[in-house]
Amino acid sequence: MKKHLKLGFHDALRVLNSAKKVMVVSHVNPDGDTLGCMLALGLALMQKGKKVLLACQDNVPTRFQYLPGSELVQTECREKVDVAVAVDCGGEKQLGRLRAAFFKARSTVQIDHHDFGDAFGRYRCWIRSVGGRRDRVPSYP
Ligand SMILES: [Mn+2]
């Protein structure tokens, strides 16, 4: 991981720790990557006492509805949040109709594991994939 990206990770943690209300957004036509990341992060933030909105433009596909928290995912968001987090989104277009709500947040964070894509979050962290298809997941202190 490059130094500036690592700094982005710690900045993102600081911003998330100080937030009261957080929105986590998955990309359009959600797959297991984006949903797994959104739900894991969202549930972890809830356990820390944050108010969390889980959002995706499109409904959770039936094959992923067994995932814990998938029933909480909403397809729109009208609330203003302290921090909006985009997960697995290679560009802001992947936020779909949630783009406006995302950029209304006081701060924005972009978490991704792809080496390509556009930077659009105020804080960005790339989690490099290791060991073939199994991605390394950072712990959330
Ligand atoms: Mn994906």
Side-chain angles (χ1 to χ4, degrees), residues 27 30-34 88 94 113-114:
H27 64 66
D31 55 17
D33 283 12
T34 196
D88 195 38
Q94 287 198 285
H113 64 136
H114 299 109

Side-chain angles (χ1 to χ4, degrees), residues 26-102:
S26 280
H27 64 66
V28 298
N29 299 317
D31 55 17
D33 283 12
T34 196
L35 288 171
C37 187
M38 174 173 71
L39 296 173
L41 177 60
L43 294 174
L45 290 167
M46 283 177 204
Q47 282 186 355
K48 287 180 68 74
K50 314 288 184 190
K51 168 129 170 78
V52 179
L53 305 169
L54 303 173
C56 180
Q57 171 192 292
D58 302 309
N59 290 317
V60 175
T62 309
R63 67 185 182 283
F64 293 124
Q65 287 178 3
Y66 72 94
L67 291 169
S70 61
E71 71 282 3
L72 303 174
V73 180
Q74 52 196 59
T75 54
E76 58 182 32
C77 175
R78 299 191 189 283
E79 294 183 56
K80 185 169 179 180
V81 297
D82 300 317
V83 182
V85 186
V87 292
D88 195 38
C89 295
E92 57 185 82
K93 273 189 182 170
Q94 287 198 285
L95 299 170
R97 289 192 306 273
L98 289 159
R99 184 185 172 284
F102 179 85

Side-chain angles (χ1 to χ4, degrees), residues 90 112 114-118 126:
D112 199 1
H114 299 109
D115 286 332
F116 54 89
D118 300 325
W126 265 253

